[in-house]
Amino acid sequence: MLLEYRNVLVAVDGSPQAERAFHKAVAIALRNQSRLVIAHILNQSLMQHTTLLTQNIYEQLETEAQNMLNDYAEHARQQGVGEVDLILQTGNPKQLLSEDIPQRENINLIVLGATGLNALERMLVGSSSEYIVQHAQTDVLVVRSGA
């Protein structure tokens, strides 16, 4: 029996790894005629560690994230993905990507890059992809290469 993924979630953060995960997710969505949900989470704990984060800077981060999501959505549509939804939230990426969003959006495949954080961010918040693999209730594809 061939499993078809009808609702594919891809997490993006602007990193090259997330870019590769996005392209894999588009290919999977096209092959399965799936809805593609593209999500970016503004990490609340990182923002709390940044004492210089003003409302102005937060709004700029939010605007940049929305622009990034819009660019990804446009690319997915140009490739032929019929249904693309965007999610921009502030919170704990591990929780939101492994449990909250997949349950709310009826996701049956999560696609993410193996890493996407710099060394300092990994030290502060740990690996989101590792957490998601361990806690998600659905299939997870961790993209390690561009192949």
Side-chain angles (χ1 to χ4, degrees), residues 39-89:
H40 179 78
I41 309 302
L42 295 169
N43 191 326
Q44 191 170 23
S45 66
L46 279 179
M47 291 182 198
Q48 291 170 344
H49 285 94
T50 308
T51 57
L52 300 176
L53 188 65
T54 65
Q55 183 64 29
N56 217 13
I57 293 172
Y58 175 79
E59 289 172 2
Q60 182 179 350
L61 288 172
E62 195 172 42
T63 299
E64 289 173 5
Q66 189 63 58
N67 290 338
M68 176 184 63
L69 286 171
N70 291 339
D71 289 345
Y72 277 124
E74 180 61 26
H75 180 79
R77 288 182 184 108
Q78 287 176 354
Q79 295 298 311
V81 178
E83 188 176 354
V84 180
D85 293 322
L86 303 176
I87 295 175
L88 175 58
Q89 280 187 251

Side-chain angles (χ1 to χ4, degrees), residues 11-21 68 72 113-117:
V12 295
D13 62 6
S15 69
Q17 296 85 353
E19 177 92 10
R20 288 192 292 271
M68 176 184 63
Y72 277 124
T115 62
L117 301 172

Side-chain angles (χ1 to χ4, degrees), residues 78-133:
Q78 287 176 354
Q79 295 298 311
V81 178
E83 188 176 354
V84 180
D85 293 322
L86 303 176
I87 295 175
L88 175 58
Q89 280 187 251
T90 299
N92 179 336
K94 295 174 184 180
Q95 176 73 34
L96 289 168
L97 294 170
S98 66
E99 298 172 29
D100 298 355
I101 293 170
Q103 288 174 6
R104 184 177 70 229
E105 299 294 328
N106 197 29
I107 298 299
N108 50 18
L109 177 65
I110 302 168
V111 182
L112 24 112
T115 62
L117 301 172
N118 64 41
L120 175 62
E121 290 170 327
R122 273 194 305 273
M123 185 175 68
L124 289 173
V125 299
S127 169
S128 292
S129 58
E130 180 181 337
Y131 181 93
I132 293 165
V133 166

Side-chain angles (χ1 to χ4, degrees), residues 3-18:
L3 179 63
E4 291 184 351
Y5 295 110
R6 291 290 174 208
N7 296 295
V8 177
L9 169 65
V10 62
V12 295
D13 62 6
S15 69
Q17 296 85 353

